[in-house]
Structures are given as C-alpha cells and as structure tokens.
Amino acid sequence: MKKSYLIPLNIVFLSAFGVLVYFGIVFPPVERVMGIVQKIFYVHIGLVAMAMFSFFLAFVLSVIYLITERPKIDILASNAIYIGTIMFALVITTGMIWAKPAWGTFWVWDPRLTISLMTFLLYISYIMLRVFIDDHSKRATFSAVLAIMTFILTPINYFATRWWNSMHPVVFGKEGSDGLTPDMMTSVEVSVAMMAIMYLIISWEAYTVQVLSYKKRMKKLDI
C-alpha cells in the first residue's frame, strides 16, 4: 500500500472508532435492569455482525478458490478468516463480560455459547493449518475445504436460541427487539456501521501486507 493512503485511512479508522465509542457508551440510555454494563451490547453486536460477515465472505471465496485455484482468492479468503477470528474472540470476550452480572458466571454451556466455542476453535485450527503447511497449493486447498465446512456452524449458531432452550437472549426478532428503545436501536445501527468501516480498513491494510509477503516468498506468484 502506498504510504500516501495510510494517513487518511487511519484518520477515517480513528474517526469511526470515536463515533463507535460515543454511540456505544455516551449516547444510549442506561438500561434499567442491567445498568451500565448493558452498553457493551452495542460493541458486541457490531463485532458479531462483522465476524459473521467475514466468515461468510471466506466461505464464498473458498468455494471460488476451489473452482479457479487463483492465489489472489486464497489470500482474500485467509485474510477474512484471520480478521473474523480476532473479532469472534472479542465477541466471546464481550459476551463473557456481559454474562457475569447477567447470569452470575462468565460461562454457561448454553447451546449458542457451546457452538460459538466450537466455531472459534475450528477457525483457530484453520490458522494453525496455514502456519504448518508450507506447500502453497496444498495449504490453500485444505484451508478452503476447512473454511467451507466450518461455516456450516454459522447458521446453526444464529438459530440456536430459537431451536433450543437457550439462556442467550434473542436480540432481534419478535421476542428480542421489544426491549430496545429508539435511542438504543440508533446506537446499534450506528455501531454496526462504524464497525463495518473499521473492518473494511483493517481488511484492506491486512490484504496489502499479505500480498507483499506472498510476493516476497513466491516471486513467480501470479497475482
């Protein structure tokens, strides 16, 4: 990436982060039952949205890679998994922070939480696979297959609170949206939008770094 792009991109990133903090902490009212700890919900939802989008993107790109075998697609797919996994780790962390005052414990073996942990561990396996396989073609193929198989858990995770007796609240939908005031919904929407902007900037910068790394290691790679 040209250095001339770094400064404006980072300014946009920091601005989006500032807006996210404002709409996640200052703007929304304090929830009458949970209190101030409920405000972590707005960051949590944004992280969930971007992590799920990242895994979906990796799923689509992995399918495309298996068809085309283009190295550029493999780079994009792995980039999506790396960022999505970091965000999903933050999803679990923020969820645990919320769970302590809500449930009296950081963790319960709830269907959604259990599936989330399984999903996270499988994506960690994806990252480890890419670290330990040196051959580019084998690494890309095995990674694509694992990304496709792991993504199957994502829709199951989403519907877990509807299919099973889950302690995790249904955030959106007939049962879950009634408790959100207009200000709260505004905070959710703005927080997700700001998280999306930050995600795009991180993805672009990480992608350029990966491309440069691949080009150094494989000078004949056609990207």
Side-chain angles (χ1 to χ4, degrees):
M1 179 186 294
K2 294 181 179 179
K3 291 184 179 180
S4 58
Y5 289 105
L6 286 175
I7 294 177
L9 277 178
N10 289 332
I11 290 174
V12 173
F13 179 90
L14 291 174
S15 299
F17 180 77
V19 174
L20 174 65
V21 170
Y22 175 78
F23 277 90
I25 298 175
V26 180
F27 179 79
V30 176
E31 205 271 334
R32 64 178 181 274
V33 177
M34 288 291 300
I36 196 167
V37 73
Q38 184 269 347
K39 293 191 176 188
I40 202 170
F41 161 82
Y42 306 108
V43 176
H44 183 76
I45 288 296
L47 288 168
V48 170
M50 290 302 102
M52 294 301 103
F53 170 76
S54 201
F55 295 150
F56 172 73
L57 179 62
F59 167 78
V60 173
L61 290 169
S62 295
V63 172
I64 295 173
Y65 175 79
L66 292 178
I67 296 171
T68 64
E69 296 187 353
R70 293 180 59 191
K72 181 178 180 180
I73 303 299
D74 172 60
I75 294 175
L76 288 168
S78 62
N79 185 51
I81 295 289
Y82 295 150
I83 297 173
T85 302
I86 292 172
M87 288 190 160
F88 205 62
L90 293 173
V91 167
I92 295 174
T93 302
T94 53
M96 291 172 65
I97 294 171
W98 176 90
K100 179 60 176 177
W103 298 338
T105 181
F106 288 111
W107 186 268
V108 294
W109 291 103
D110 174 88
R112 170 165 283 185
L113 272 65
T114 302
I115 296 171
S116 294
L117 181 59
M118 291 170 58
T119 302
F120 176 69
L121 292 176
L122 283 170
Y123 282 119
I124 290 293
S125 299
Y126 174 100
I127 295 172
M128 293 176 65
L129 182 150
R130 295 190 68 88
V131 170
F132 290 111
I133 297 181
D134 292 327
D135 183 85
H136 170 74
S137 180
K138 290 182 179 179
R139 180 175 64 243
T141 301
F142 293 162
S143 298
V145 172
L146 182 56
I148 293 168
M149 294 176 63
T150 303
F151 182 74
I152 296 172
L153 288 174
T154 302
I156 297 175
N157 193 1
Y158 176 79
F159 288 108
T161 54
R162 295 163 173 83
W163 289 347
W164 297 295
N165 184 22
S166 174
M167 292 178 64
H168 192 286
V170 179
V171 178
F172 297 109
K174 190 174 181 180
E175 303 96 337
S177 60
D178 295 340
L180 297 179
T181 66
D183 284 347
M184 290 178 176
M185 280 303 301
T186 299
S187 293
V188 170
E189 293 165 356
V190 173
S191 296
V192 171
M194 294 304 102
M195 196 73 73
I197 292 171
M198 294 165 65
Y199 173 86
L200 290 173
I201 293 173
I202 293 172
S203 296
W204 175 249
E205 293 188 354
Y207 171 72
T208 56
V209 169
Q210 280 191 278
V211 169
L212 289 174
S213 176
Y214 270 81
K215 284 183 174 180
K216 288 180 179 178
R217 291 171 54 193
M218 308 173 78
K219 294 182 179 179
K220 295 184 179 179
L221 190 60
D222 183 17
I223 298 181

